[in-house]
Amino acid sequence: MGQKEPIELALKLLDNLKIVRHNEHRYISSDFGFVNSFVKMETTLFSLGQPYRIKEGRIAFVKQGSARILINLIEYTIQPGYIAVIAPNSIIQITEVSPDFDMQMIAADHNFLPISGKDDFFSYLLHHQKNIILLLSPQEQQQVEHYFTLTWGVLQEPPFRKEAIQHLLASLLYYLEYIAQNSIEQNPAQLTRQEEIFQRFISLVNTHSKKERNVNFYADKLCLTPRYLNTVIRQASQQTEHSNLLVYQVSDELNFPNPSFFSKFFKRMTGMTPHEYQQTK
């Protein structure tokens, strides 16, 4: 089995008209994108098992069907009524999808958002709960549908009404932040402290692994001691790491130069090699 390098998904790449058959179902600019229907757009870009690194933040709203996806190595099953807020530089991989699967999606560069004091609102929003994958109530689904419908409608009226779209997007993100926070308060055991730290660690590795390989860097970012971070990774990864992922696949998805380099990094972080870890499971 050949190694699959993550393909970078950036708005500049998606602006290529040749990757879809029906461009009338999407709007793409240099800093904002909107897909009104993936199934109707008929894109040739995505394939099962291929990892993709998204440059900009994403909001995905499932309309029909179901799919199994990995986001930063964490597996989710998404169905109608689910919405996902995904931070920039995350790695996504679709492992299974039903024939009728369809969703709407928004992509936005952090410079696009008119929110002062928060350089990257996607990362700020996800700081408290990585990743945000929510099953909306019927009323919440209706409200989110209104946001998407209104945004798509504004996009159909030339010229591009940038300020209106910016504030609609900001309002939607604040609304989803409220839902996520309310969900945490009502279900405090939904995500343990260790799982939260582990997911934030994975996100940091996705962002900084090209330059930073030292545990002290990540511990400092998480306001933890290196020793405690090592403990958290060992304990939390037993619940979140998937045994069907091979070492080279994890290495590729986290953008390490090769599996050997990843194995050394893993041992420095956990005290054991990936192979030794798998044998303890």
Side-chain angles (χ1 to χ4, degrees), residues 189-202:
Q190 185 177 22
L191 193 68
T192 68
R193 173 63 175 165
Q194 289 186 339
E195 290 170 338
E196 178 187 351
I197 292 173
F198 180 77
Q199 291 188 15
R200 289 172 58 194
F201 165 72
I202 289 294

Side-chain angles (χ1 to χ4, degrees), residues 17-41:
L17 298 178
K18 296 181 180 179
I19 64 174
V20 301
R21 292 187 60 185
H22 302 286
N23 282 284
E24 65 270 21
H25 296 289
R26 67 175 192 156
Y27 176 93
I28 303 291
S29 68
S30 61
D31 53 9
F32 177 81
F34 191 109
V35 173
N36 199 38
S37 172
F38 266 88
V39 68
K40 292 179 181 178
M41 187 176 62

Side-chain angles (χ1 to χ4, degrees), residues 7-69:
I7 296 175
E8 183 167 300
L9 284 186
L11 287 169
K12 291 182 179 179
L13 170 65
L14 299 177
D15 194 32
N16 184 351
L17 298 178
K18 296 181 180 179
I19 64 174
V20 301
R21 292 187 60 185
H22 302 286
N23 282 284
E24 65 270 21
H25 296 289
R26 67 175 192 156
Y27 176 93
I28 303 291
S29 68
S30 61
D31 53 9
F32 177 81
F34 191 109
V35 173
N36 199 38
S37 172
F38 266 88
V39 68
K40 292 179 181 178
M41 187 176 62
E42 295 187 25
T43 180
T44 59
L45 181 61
F46 296 96
S47 60
L48 294 181
Q50 171 64 53
Y52 300 88
R53 182 184 297 276
I54 58 172
K55 181 179 179 182
E56 300 88 7
R58 298 289 197 278
I59 305 174
F61 183 42
V62 182
K63 301 296 291 184
Q64 65 182 42
S66 63
R68 288 175 54 222
I69 61 174

